[in-house]
Amino acid sequence: MMNPTNSLPLYSDGVSLNEQELIACQSLSRAIPDRKSRAKAALSGHRSSQIKGRGMEFAEVRHYQNGDDVRTIDWRVTARTGVAHTKLFVEERERPILLLIDLSHSLYFGSQLLLQSVQVAHLATTLGWNAINHGDRLGALIASESTHLELKPRSRRQGILQLTSGLINVHQQQLNQINQLSPDPGHMFKACQRLQRIAKPGSLIWIITDGQHINQQCLAPLTELSRHCDIGAFVVTDPLRQGTLALPKQFSLPVRDGQQQQLTLTRQSYEAWLSTQQQQLQQFVSLMNMIKVQPKFIDAAKPLSAQLDILR
């Protein structure tokens, strides 16, 4: 399948995942702004890092304290105020990047180009390549009703290889079991709790989801994470779930709802189903706003390469 707006091939049938299409996301990662401009970009729902120490980038001036390096004393401010002041710099270090990747059954849904779960994998891998390109350590927590795969932050090629391998394996497992497993309403709460335990202070966390399973129960661990980590969120959507797909007045549409059964939607039942979907999404957005995160929306009906303005 070829991207109609970009020369980058998708290498995808829109349903399953393969290594080739995830490796191709490396090219997309180069379009994401570098670390210095990211804090001002629309991509960031996170705040600038609070880590300060000895580095090259100036951060602030404060009163001199016992143990401070005398070489960092700001003599101009000290002479002007009569009180010793020292300079602080942003400390340069490898930063852990953690991806909380939601591969719940509700994401195995797609009305046009891709399943939402496939777009989630494309987005996660693109963010992962970006982290590796900037020398950061990459880790992930891939969560579904049946699997919680924890990938510890690792540098360079090891970090991206474990991510792509984990995504392909969990995605295929979910496809194989989609008619067998009962939904677990608390699986994303458990994922948030695990993330709270493994995320070190100063980490950058990206949440990638459809917004259906991260609910009020998850607020406590996410709030605690936001105290010490930077958090951003992406919501992967589909036109049928957004109500933006043009449909005739009378229709019968078979739709799998992410659980065991397959539904046949009429106009009336579709509108009721759509109302529920949008209500759940609004609850997720409100939850993110409580921790000062503004989610960004990615459409599964368009290749990620056609939505790079959202990542700027």
Side-chain angles (χ1 to χ4, degrees), residues 237-302:
T237 65
D238 182 89
L240 202 60
R241 275 190 159 144
Q242 289 288 86
T244 58
L245 190 63
L247 295 172
K249 292 183 178 180
Q250 301 294 330
F251 65 88
S252 179
L253 186 67
V255 175
R256 188 179 301 279
D257 69 352
Q259 301 179 15
Q260 295 182 1
Q261 68 269 28
Q262 185 160 318
L263 310 176
T264 298
L265 294 179
T266 61
R267 167 63 68 179
Q268 184 177 2
S269 60
Y270 169 69
E271 290 178 353
W273 176 82
L274 178 62
S275 176
T276 300
Q277 298 292 308
Q278 293 183 336
Q279 183 179 6
Q280 290 175 327
L281 181 56
Q282 185 55 50
Q283 289 173 350
F284 171 74
V285 172
S286 298
L287 181 68
M288 290 293 100
N289 290 341
M290 291 180 187
I291 58 172
K292 296 180 173 59
V293 172
Q294 183 62 48
K296 301 297 176 182
F297 289 79
I298 299 294
D299 192 346
K302 300 177 184 177

Side-chain angles (χ1 to χ4, degrees), residues 12-26:
S12 174
D13 61 7
V15 176
S16 58
L17 282 179
N18 61 71
E19 185 177 5
Q20 191 177 23
E21 68 185 288
L22 299 185
I23 291 176
C25 293
Q26 183 177 16

Side-chain angles (χ1 to χ4, degrees), residues 171-212:
H171 192 273
Q172 188 59 50
Q173 178 181 329
Q174 285 288 88
L175 282 176
N176 294 340
Q177 299 178 345
I178 201 163
N179 290 318
Q180 303 171 14
L181 295 176
S182 299
D184 177 3
H187 67 283
M188 290 309 296
F189 170 60
K190 296 173 185 176
C192 290
Q193 286 183 313
R194 291 186 68 172
L195 187 64
Q196 182 184 351
R197 291 195 294 269
I198 66 176
K200 296 182 178 180
S203 298
L204 170 59
I205 298 170
W206 289 115
I207 300 172
I208 308 174
T209 180
D210 64 350
Q212 301 293 311

Side-chain angles (χ1 to χ4, degrees), residues 205-226:
I205 298 170
W206 289 115
I207 300 172
I208 308 174
T209 180
D210 64 350
Q212 301 293 311
H213 303 282
I214 298 180
N215 51 33
Q216 191 70 28
Q217 190 181 25
C218 302
L219 181 59
L222 289 177
T223 298
E224 187 60 31
L225 279 167
S226 69

Side-chain angles (χ1 to χ4, degrees), residues 122-141:
H122 289 179
L123 176 59
T125 309
T126 300
L127 294 173
W129 278 112
N130 182 255
I132 295 301
N133 291 340
H134 284 94
D136 293 319
R137 290 181 290 121
L138 175 64
L141 183 58

